Each structure stands twice: as structure tokens, then as C-alpha cells.
Amino acid sequence: MSELDPEDRERFEQLVLPHVDAAFNLARWLLRRREDAEDVAQEALLRACRFIRGFHGGNARAWVLQIVRNTCYTWLEKNRPMELSVEFDEEVHQQSDATPESLAIAGDERERLTRALEMLPPRYREVLVLRELEGCSYKEIAGITSIPIGTVMSSLSRARRQLCAVLDGSPGEEANREM
Amino acid sequence: MRCDFADLLLHSYFDSELSSVDAEKFGRHVERCADCGSELVNLDLLRDRLQLAEIYEAAPASLRRKISAEIRPKAQTTPKSQPLLWHWLAAAAALFLVAIVLLRMSPGLRNDDYQAELAAEIVDAHLRSLQPGDVTGIASNDERAVKGWFDTKIKFALPVHDFTNHGFGLKGGRLELLEGRSVAALVYERNGRLINVFVWPTPGPDKSPRTGSQRGFQWVDWRQDKMEFCAVSDTAPADLEQLRQLIHSNT
């Protein structure tokens, strides 16, 4: 990267650096692989750095996460388009390495939840991560994901139900019944 | 059976996203509706599970290093204004971690590893130095005051000299204790640049200087009189070498 204007650097350090964890966490859950997440989060953060003058105050975390999210989707389109093409097919769980079987033998609660989350389509995964792990409001989630608030609500509701169904060990069935 | 009411309102209620009027209305509904009541319990359980499992993934240190390496000023830039001395001491506090790396460095480690590790730690330390926190140390250009301050705190005879006559003004010092070892950090200023000199006792024999640079930082370290010195800065290598010679001939 070319030399930064000192003012831009200061703004970046104040506005963006506090959200490096949030940026990585979102990328990790969207991409499901830590190595990919690190590369893409880095790309997104440097993009935020280049665009720092375009940020005119407001919610810095949401701004950073929006850039991370867009960068992740661009990356997925390029590298794993299959994952996005099935995003609204609620019966497809094969997009993840996780399967109900692997979930059943995952002894550790943390591992169980991780695999269950990874089985959700990216659009559901991201609203859950933003809401439950990042503590974002519906309005923030709508801003980050560029989807209307009503869709945020319905996605969250479906995402939670799917996650519960997956964790209960009967993916598909219960989800279908309830949807 | 699911309550028709439940779907969207329930989640908005659970997430405290309803207006106070709506929340009150829905609260009254929940009192009467067993479906919604148990659904709320389930949502609560799910949230607890997600929180308790600690699945939040914080950024790895390597990511922070890469970012800070990209944004840090190049060595050639001149600061617009002189940073406050306490900021410098804060940086010294952080750069002290560099000394930790050196402490832990095994003799057999290759120079490449040494440099890479050092550079990585410098950048990390720089980042951390930007965080607010308590800074303790002594800010003084009086070598006797600085030496006196150190003497009560470390068990080795730290050479403290002000080299203002040679263009290296003493700014102060700082100290940390790690694994039972004291590491002193002397802070010098050269043309508006900060130089940290880390010093700690070592049983090893004298060693001629090793130098390196990574991402705009220069370092030189050497051993002399049972002490290890490591000077780190973004000044020109020649400046660092000059300071090294000054310290060397005055120790």
C-alpha cells in the first residue's frame, strides 16, 4: 500500500482498528475457514483504510462490517460460487463439511455449535453471527447486509429455527415442519 | 401448533427490537400463550448456548501484524509535530516486548527467524502502545535522575548517559519485570525520532553487533560487560550505529 496520509492513518487507527476482531469473526463465519478469513479480512480492512475518507461519521463498526461482508461475498462468488447458489435452499446442508453424523459424534459443545452454524446457508449464518455473537441491532444488520429490516427479522427467525433443528439432530424435518 | 402471533413479533420481542408499546402488548400476550412462552425459553437457551460455547473468533495476532505493517509510516516520513514524551514512553513500554523476544531467543536460531520474529513483535508492540493504559517510568534528561530511578529497581549497573552533545537526547526510561528478570528501556531522541535501547543482564561473553531492519524499523543488538543491548528505532541505520558506539565507549 502506498504511503498513508497521517490524518488518514489516525482515523483508521481510531475508527477501524477497534473492530479488527469483529471483522475477522464475521469473515471466519462467512467463509468457514480461518486461513481464508484472515486473507479476506485483511483485504477488507485495507480497503476500509483506502476508503477512510469516505466515512463521514456514524457507526464505524457497521461500516467496517459492511465492507468485510461485501469482500467476503465477492470472494465467495469468485472462489466458491456453489455456496451462494444454494443459499435459499433450506434443505441443502451438504455445502458444509459438517453433516448430521459428524455433528452427532462431535463431543465438544463448542464444536457441535460450530458445525451446526456452518451448516446454515451463509445468509442465515451471517444474521445469526451478527445478532448473537456481535450483538448488532436489526438496524445495524440491515445496514451491514443491505437487506430490509423485515427480511432481517424473518431471516433471524428462520436461522434460529434451523439452528435449533440441526442441533436437535433432525435437520430438515423439523425445519420443514416449522416453515 | 405454533401461535400465529409468534413468528416475527416473538423474535423482535426477544431481541428487544419492539417499540415499548408493542413490547408491552406482546408481553401481555406471552403471559397467556404457552407456545410463545416456551418458544422464548428456547430462544434464551439457544442464546446462552452460543454465548457459553465461546465460539466468537477473535482476530489472530498475525492479522493485526499485517494490518499495522501496511499502515505504519515509512521510515522517511517526518512527523508533523513531536509526539508527547509520554507517548514515547508508552511506545517504549510496548517495544520492551521486543526485548522479551530477544530474551527468549535461543542461540541457535537463524538470523532470518530472529529478524522476522523481532519485526513482528515490534509491529505488535507498536499497536499495543497505541492502547490507553498506565505508563510508569521516568521522564527526565538528567542522567543522574534516570540512573537513580533505575538503581532502586534493577539489580545491575545500567549505564545511563545523555548524549545531547552528539544529537541523542536522553528522554527518560522505563522498566518491566518478566519471569523474574528486569529489562530496562532507555529512551533517546534523535532529530525528533524515538530510539529505545533495551538493556538486560546476560551471563554470555561480549558479542559484536548484529543489525537488521524490517518494515522501516532498524535494530542493532550487542553484548558487552555482561549486558545485552538492543537499540530499536526508525531512524537511519547510521544514527543507530552512532548511538551504539557512544553507548559502547561509555559503558
Side-chain angles (χ1 to χ4, degrees):
Chain A
M1 215 164 85
S2 56
E3 179 73 1
L4 258 184
D5 182 278
E7 266 178 46
D8 287 351
R9 182 167 53 246
E10 202 181 321
R11 270 169 71 75
F12 180 80
E13 284 170 353
Q14 283 174 2
L15 296 168
V16 180
L17 285 188
H19 306 299
V20 170
D21 280 340
F24 179 79
N25 184 57
L26 180 60
R28 180 258 173 270
W29 286 108
L30 272 176
L31 306 179
R32 290 192 284 107
R33 284 170 50 121
R34 293 180 60 88
E35 312 87 79
D36 294 336
E38 188 167 343
D39 290 347
V40 177
Q42 182 186 1
E43 187 188 333
L45 289 165
L46 294 178
R47 189 170 292 178
C49 189
R50 285 197 294 279
F51 297 161
I52 194 78
R53 285 181 192 203
F55 178 70
H56 300 296
N59 188 332
R61 180 180 65 166
W63 182 73
V64 171
L65 289 179
Q66 190 181 8
I67 295 173
V68 170
R69 192 246 185 203
N70 289 344
T71 311
C72 285
Y73 273 87
T74 307
W75 188 92
L76 282 173
E77 273 162 22
K78 203 170 140 195
N79 295 282
R80 300 192 220 139
M82 281 301 287
E83 287 189 22
L84 294 176
S85 65
V86 295
E87 64 190 279
F88 281 113
D89 184 347
E90 277 125 19
E91 295 190 39
V92 174
H93 295 300
Q94 274 70 30
Q95 56 180 307
S96 156
D97 297 337
T99 62
E101 290 74 29
S102 70
L103 202 63
I105 57 168
D108 180 39
E109 166 79 350
R110 186 172 189 272
E111 204 180 327
R112 266 176 69 85
L113 282 168
T114 300
R115 292 189 184 184
L117 257 180
E118 287 180 344
M119 282 166 69
L120 300 184
R123 305 254 185 216
Y124 288 178
R125 210 183 309 139
E126 74 182 351
V127 289
L128 264 182
V129 166
L130 289 171
R131 175 65 217 162
E132 301 291 2
L133 301 187
E134 207 52 63
C136 291
S137 68
Y138 287 7
K139 195 178 154 200
E140 285 177 305
I141 298 174
I144 293 164
T145 57
S146 307
I147 58 179
I149 283 200
T151 313
V152 171
M153 291 181 196
S154 56
S155 300
L156 251 182
S157 135
R158 286 179 175 203
R160 281 173 172 149
R161 232 177 294 140
Q162 263 200 30
L163 184 66
C164 281
V166 171
L167 286 167
D168 287 347
S170 54
E173 279 177 37
E174 185 157 345
N176 285 343
R177 182 176 64 78
E178 294 200 348
M179 276 170 216
Chain B
M1 278 297 292
R2 287 175 53 80
C3 166
D4 290 340
F5 228 141
D7 223 23
L8 292 185
L9 279 181
L10 182 88
H11 288 264
S12 304
Y13 178 76
F14 175 68
D15 289 321
S16 311
E17 292 272 352
L18 288 181
S19 70
S20 54
V21 176
D22 287 344
E24 204 187 315
K25 267 193 222 164
F26 194 76
R28 282 200 296 274
H29 165 77
V30 171
E31 284 169 14
R32 295 189 311 269
C33 176
D35 280 346
C36 285
S38 70
E39 192 74 12
L40 277 176
V41 171
N42 286 338
L43 288 177
D44 232 1
L45 286 174
L46 181 65
R47 175 165 290 171
D48 282 351
R49 275 182 85 171
L50 289 166
Q51 306 286 333
L52 287 172
E54 293 177 353
I55 54 173
Y56 192 99
E57 299 249 12
S62 50
L63 175 63
R64 291 181 180 278
R65 276 203 292 273
K66 285 183 228 163
I67 296 298
S68 55
E70 290 278 357
I71 64 158
R72 78 167 306 281
K74 305 285 186 288
Q76 291 76 19
T77 54
T78 312
K80 273 184 187 164
S81 59
Q82 291 202 351
L84 289 174
L85 176 58
W86 285 109
H87 288 187
W88 286 10
L89 289 174
L95 284 170
F96 141 84
L97 285 153
V98 169
I100 298 171
V101 176
L102 293 170
L103 275 174
R104 289 179 172 167
M105 208 63 67
S106 73
L109 212 53
R110 288 187 305 120
N111 206 37
D112 288 355
D113 295 337
Y114 178 87
Q115 284 191 7
E117 188 93 353
L118 180 68
E121 285 300 318
I122 285 174
V123 175
D124 261 7
H126 174 70
L127 244 191
R128 278 190 290 268
S129 77
L130 301 173
Q131 307 296 319
D134 295 330
V135 176
T136 54
I138 177 164
S140 169
N141 61 356
D142 180 344
E143 51 187 53
R144 287 179 59 185
V146 174
K147 173 122 179 94
W149 184 86
F150 272 115
D151 279 348
T152 61
K153 294 174 176 63
I154 54 176
K155 289 187 185 136
F156 63 100
L158 178 72
V160 181
H161 300 287
D162 179 24
F163 300 116
T164 301
N165 295 343
H166 298 87
F168 296 90
L170 179 66
K171 304 303 287 184
R174 172 177 173 87
L175 172 86
E176 290 263 354
L177 198 69
L178 183 88
E179 292 170 353
R181 285 201 249 198
S182 289
V183 175
L186 287 170
V187 185
Y188 287 95
E189 181 194 340
R190 167 70 160 182
N191 296 334
R193 305 282 169 112
L194 169 73
I195 303 175
N196 289 281
V197 183
F198 300 99
V199 190
W200 62 95
T202 171
D206 286 8
K207 210 170 58 184
S208 49
R210 288 184 297 179
T211 60
S213 74
Q214 281 281 341
R215 299 166 185 174
F217 277 99
Q218 314 289 332
W219 55 262
V220 54
D221 101 293
W222 71 99
R223 267 191 218 154
Q224 166 184 9
D225 297 342
K226 306 288 179 202
M227 280 179 282
E228 181 129 8
F229 295 76
C230 181
V232 187
S233 180
D234 61 351
T235 64
D239 287 347
L240 219 49
E241 174 56 19
Q242 194 188 341
L243 179 61
R244 187 196 69 76
Q245 287 175 11
L246 285 168
I247 294 173
H248 190 265
S249 51
N250 283 278
T251 297

